[in-house]
Amino acid sequence: VLQSITFGTSATSLDAQCFKDCINLTSVSIPATITSIGSNCFDSCSGLVTINFSNQSTLKNVGTNIHTRGWGD
């Protein structure tokens, strides 16, 4: 059961809906190397309570509704 995600330094983007419906996901750490997060990336992740971004974040593009339906339910 996927509960948390920590990306390696070679990751540069998160595709649209890539973690959709991961209801047991509770936390995500976004490293500085991620420059783009696709639409609905964490859609319906009802257990997700924490998204941490690196202090050196280079995030440039964020799609629509990266997290909808179920935040903190």
Side-chain angles (χ1 to χ4, degrees):
V1 175
L2 182 64
Q3 293 181 326
S4 66
I5 303 169
T6 303
F7 299 93
T9 56
S10 62
T12 59
S13 66
L14 303 178
D15 292 337
Q17 300 184 356
C18 63
F19 296 104
K20 184 176 187 213
D21 295 321
C22 289
I23 60 171
N24 294 308
L25 184 63
T26 59
S27 66
V28 178
S29 295
I30 309 285
T33 56
I34 299 292
T35 60
S36 178
I37 298 176
S39 296
N40 303 305
C41 183
F42 300 106
D43 187 27
S44 298
C45 293
S46 57
L48 186 60
V49 293
T50 305
I51 300 176
N52 294 308
F53 292 88
S54 167
N55 290 337
Q56 294 83 31
S57 178
T58 58
L59 191 60
K60 295 179 178 137
N61 300 304
V62 177
T64 59
N65 302 318
I66 64 165
H67 189 282
T68 58
R69 293 186 300 239
W71 183 268
D73 286 352

